Amino acid sequence: MQSELQASHQWFSKFIEAIRAIGFTQSKADYSLFTRKNDKSFTALLIYVDDIMITGNNLPAINALKQFLNTRFKIKDLGDLKYFLGIEVSRSRRGEIFLLTITRPDMYSVHILSRFMHEPCKPHLDAAMRVLRYPKSTPGQGLFFPTGNEMNLTEYCDSDWAGCTRRSTSGYCVFLGNSLISWRTKRQKTVSLSLAEAEYRAMTGACCEITWLSYLLQDLQLPDPGPATLHCDNQAALHISANSVFHDRTRHIEMYCHFIRDKIMDGTMITRYISSQQEVAEVFTKALGKEDFSAMVCKLGVHNIHSPT
């Protein structure tokens, strides 16, 4: 195992040295991303172990990069992107992109079932079989990305409170324009003493994700999206994020949670209240009824490519 780790490290170091020599810059937001900009030409390269994805706005520059990589490393060109790291990609003639993803945003139940993998019982198996009916009936379910889109970041965050282990679950989703680009469901590490505190922790996690995505968009040479808008359905959590005065109800919260206050003060983040009926992130933290679930999934931009139009 040690020799394998050393070999992979040496391979990546050699790749970095070669790609930097032809003018590429390694992203500090994602070390596997490399970009190069010459006048109006822009090329981006994403690498994971020995799988490489190349994109850009200049086809001759992309072909020259492929030729260079083939000379140095003997690569195999698989043509237009169709499959990458478990993600199936299809593209329309108009340039629209449709992903069939492995980690689907509409599978909150899988997150709950994974908590019982250590000592599963018959009820857990029954629940798993019931959950499997859904992806089996929707094999063409995936994310749709239109060609025309705005460059603004919008995020929704939500939290339940005191689940079966007394630890709350945080969930958030991030949109670039109308396209869902990031989402997460995670159980909080500490016990929250109130619903407001649980929601506040969820807001902090969402704020960290937006900060990282902002750096990534800069590396991809995209226009400045301006202040990101964070939506939350808890008024008390919004007041905590805007109030810089400590008092008995908030002084026990870890200091890193107040990271969101700095982002609000420097103008990179705007918070907005949203009703629970419009809270898209609820699909990541709660088991919803069929009608509510279908409505939320549709708002996420999840479509069934096999369904009739």
Side-chain angles (χ1 to χ4, degrees):
M1 178 64 71
Q2 187 66 24
S3 61
E4 292 179 0
L5 291 175
Q6 291 177 352
S8 61
H9 177 72
Q10 292 174 359
W11 142 251
F12 192 57
S13 298
K14 184 177 181 180
F15 180 85
I16 292 176
E17 181 181 355
I19 205 72
R20 283 179 173 174
I22 58 173
F24 277 81
T25 302
Q26 186 177 19
S27 169
K28 292 182 173 60
D30 186 343
Y31 290 157
S32 61
L33 175 65
F34 299 84
T35 58
R36 181 180 64 185
K37 182 175 176 61
N38 292 323
D39 297 327
K40 295 183 179 180
S41 175
F42 176 77
T43 308
L45 181 150
L46 185 67
I47 180 172
Y48 182 81
V49 189
D50 58 352
D51 292 328
I52 299 175
M53 182 173 63
I54 303 172
T55 188
N57 60 2
N58 189 318
L59 186 58
I62 293 177
N63 292 331
L65 175 59
K66 290 180 180 179
Q67 184 177 1
F68 168 78
L69 293 175
N70 185 56
T71 303
R72 293 293 302 269
F73 304 103
K74 301 299 180 183
I75 66 171
K76 183 178 181 181
D77 188 358
L78 300 179
D80 292 339
L81 180 64
K82 295 181 180 178
Y83 192 83
F84 186 74
L85 302 182
I87 301 177
E88 185 179 351
V89 182
S90 60
R91 187 190 302 266
S92 70
R93 294 180 180 178
R94 295 180 297 180
E96 300 163 331
I97 297 176
F98 188 83
L99 306 181
L100 305 173
T101 62
I102 285 182
T103 54
R104 286 168 46 167
D106 53 344
M107 295 300 290
Y108 165 74
S109 299
V110 175
H111 169 74
I112 298 298
L113 283 173
S114 64
R115 300 177 183 178
F116 304 94
M117 293 179 61
H118 179 59
E119 294 181 353
C121 300
K122 182 64 165 55
H124 302 129
L125 176 61
D126 295 338
M129 296 303 294
R130 182 177 180 180
V131 169
L132 285 174
R133 296 173 191 166
Y134 175 62
K136 185 178 180 180
S137 64
T138 56
Q141 199 97 308
L143 293 173
F144 177 76
F145 296 90
T147 52
N149 208 354
E150 298 179 358
M151 290 292 106
N152 57 296
L153 285 172
T154 306
E155 188 167 21
Y156 299 83
C157 68
D158 189 50
S159 175
D160 68 350
W161 181 42
C164 59
T165 60
R166 296 297 180 264
R167 284 191 291 165
S168 305
T169 299
S170 297
Y172 62 75
C173 55
V174 186
F175 291 84
L176 181 62
N178 296 322
S179 300
L180 179 66
I181 60 173
S182 179
W183 63 90
R184 190 178 191 184
T185 298
K186 185 178 181 181
R187 189 162 49 174
Q188 296 180 3
K189 295 181 179 180
T190 58
V191 176
S192 297
L193 302 182
S194 65
L195 175 59
E197 182 181 337
E199 295 276 3
Y200 184 59
R201 293 180 186 276
M203 290 178 64
T204 302
C207 183
C208 293
E209 182 72 5
I210 283 186
T211 302
W212 175 74
L213 286 172
S214 298
Y215 294 145
L216 196 62
L217 293 178
Q218 291 176 15
D219 291 336
L220 293 174
Q221 305 294 317
L222 293 177
D224 183 8
T229 304
L230 176 60
H231 295 88
C232 177
D233 62 356
N234 188 279
Q235 293 276 21
L238 291 171
H239 289 316
I240 295 174
S241 65
N243 185 9
S244 59
V245 179
F246 285 96
H247 47 74
D248 291 343
R249 295 185 179 181
T250 60
R251 64 183 181 183
H252 65 281
I253 301 177
E254 291 89 347
M255 294 303 298
Y256 78 89
C257 291
H258 302 301
F259 165 77
I260 187 174
R261 291 180 179 172
D262 296 334
K263 293 300 178 180
I264 294 175
M265 292 181 66
D266 64 21
T268 59
M269 180 76 63
I270 299 174
T271 56
R272 291 285 185 269
Y273 172 76
I274 190 172
S275 65
S276 298
Q277 290 74 21
Q278 297 175 307
E279 179 56 89
V280 183
E282 278 200 347
V283 75
F284 300 101
T285 61
K286 299 175 181 67
L288 303 176
K290 183 177 180 180
E291 293 184 0
D292 292 338
F293 175 80
S294 299
M296 293 301 180
V297 167
C298 184
K299 290 180 180 180
L300 289 175
V302 178
H303 298 279
N304 193 342
I305 196 173
H306 296 164
S307 62
T309 57

